[in-house]
Amino acid sequence: MSDAVQPTAAEVRAAAEAVKTALDRHLAAVERRSGEDDSAVYEAFNELAAAAEVYDELLYDRYDEVTPFEIPGAEDTPPYTGPEEPSALSVLIRRDYAVAEPQRLMAQAQRVEAADDGLGTEASGTVHGALGVLFGEFEPDEIASRHKEFGLEEGDSTLWVTAADDPADPGEWLEAPFEQVDAERVVCRFDVSAVFDDDLDDEADEPDVEDDLDPELNEDEDLEPLDADRR
C-alpha cells in the first residue's frame, strides 16, 4: 500500500476511541438487558464488531500490526448493495433446538390437547407429533422464551432482515421460502451462538446450582398433573 492511501495516525486513534465507545455501549446494553433475546444487546454487539473490524484494518494498514479481536462470521458477510430506502423487507429466522427432555415435551403437548377438545388427534404420544402440537399452538417467539418448559435446549439462532424493491406476491415464494436469499441485501443480522461466549469453558466447570437442589422439589415444577386415565 502506498503512503498516499495509508490512514493517518489520527484516523487510527479515532478508530480506537470508537472501539472504546462501542465497548461501553455494549456493556451498558448487557447490564440493562430485558431477556435472552434483547435486541439492544444484539445491536450493541454488531456495533462493537463493526468498530473493532475498522480499527483492525486501519491498524494493519498504518502500522502493519494486528489485534486479538476475532468476530465470528464477520468475513462471511458481504457488503450491503440493496436499495438505500427499501420499500419492502423480509425477516428470516432460524432457531435450532435439541429435544433435551422428550417426556416433558410430550407432557406439555398433552396439556394442550386436553385443553382443546377440537384437537382429538392424540398426536402428543410421539415426539414429532408433540412438536407439531406445540408449534401449532404457540408462536415461535413464545417457544423461544419458554423453551425449557417444553423440554427443549437452545442451539444457534440467527435473524436476518433483508431489503426488497417490492413486496412479494401472495404465495410467490411459499414452495421454497429460503432458496433465494441475497446476502448482499441483508440490512442487519443478529446471531446467537455458543462460539460467541468467551467464558464457555469456564462455565462448563462450574456446578449448576439447580442440579444441587433436591430433585423432588424442582422436577416438573411447571407442569400440572396429568389425568391418570388419559391415553
Side-chain angles (χ1 to χ4, degrees):
M1 180 176 290
S2 67
D3 293 339
V5 295
Q6 276 191 338
T8 65
E11 288 174 329
V12 178
R13 173 63 61 181
E17 293 300 324
V19 172
K20 298 175 186 178
T21 300
L23 276 169
D24 290 338
R25 290 176 178 173
H26 181 259
L27 177 58
V30 170
E31 291 173 338
R32 297 193 304 266
R33 74 186 310 162
S34 58
E36 294 182 0
D37 298 323
D38 192 323
S39 61
V41 175
Y42 298 152
E43 292 173 4
F45 173 88
N46 286 338
E47 291 177 1
L48 176 56
E53 185 175 8
V54 170
Y55 173 62
D56 187 88
E57 292 178 354
L58 293 179
L59 187 71
Y60 182 80
D61 290 343
R62 176 69 185 182
Y63 299 109
D64 196 24
E65 187 58 71
V66 297
T67 71
F69 304 142
E70 181 178 356
I71 308 301
E75 296 181 355
D76 298 330
T77 303
Y80 177 73
T81 62
E84 289 298 324
E85 298 183 5
S87 59
L89 59 88
S90 294
V91 179
L92 299 93
I93 302 175
R94 172 173 173 170
R95 296 187 178 114
D96 284 3
Y97 299 96
V99 180
E101 301 179 73
Q103 294 303 320
R104 178 183 288 268
L105 176 75
M106 291 187 287
Q108 289 283 28
Q110 288 170 1
R111 295 175 64 190
V112 172
E113 286 184 329
D116 189 347
D117 296 333
L119 288 178
T121 62
E122 297 293 333
S124 59
T126 64
V127 171
H128 75 271
L131 288 169
V133 170
L134 292 176
F135 278 88
E137 176 71 14
F138 300 103
E139 293 291 333
D141 287 345
E142 185 168 3
I143 295 286
S145 64
R146 300 174 57 190
H147 62 277
K148 292 183 180 179
E149 296 179 37
F150 300 134
L152 302 175
E153 180 179 310
E154 283 186 318
D156 288 357
S157 67
T158 188
L159 181 152
W160 293 23
V161 179
T162 63
D165 296 316
D166 299 297
D169 294 332
E172 179 180 341
W173 47 257
L174 290 179
E175 291 186 1
F178 304 114
E179 281 190 353
Q180 298 179 345
V181 180
D182 187 349
E184 293 186 353
R185 286 188 168 230
V186 175
V187 177
C188 57
R189 61 179 290 179
F190 307 105
D191 300 324
V192 177
S193 174
V195 300
F196 298 145
D197 190 352
D198 294 334
D199 299 323
L200 183 62
D201 293 335
D202 293 337
E203 292 178 358
D205 296 332
E206 295 177 0
D208 190 339
V209 176
E210 292 184 359
D211 290 343
D212 293 337
L213 299 177
D214 187 344
E216 295 182 359
L217 296 179
N218 61 13
E219 183 178 4
D220 293 340
E221 62 185 7
D222 50 2
L223 298 180
E224 296 177 358
L226 299 176
D227 186 348
D229 296 331
R230 181 172 178 78
R231 298 180 187 273

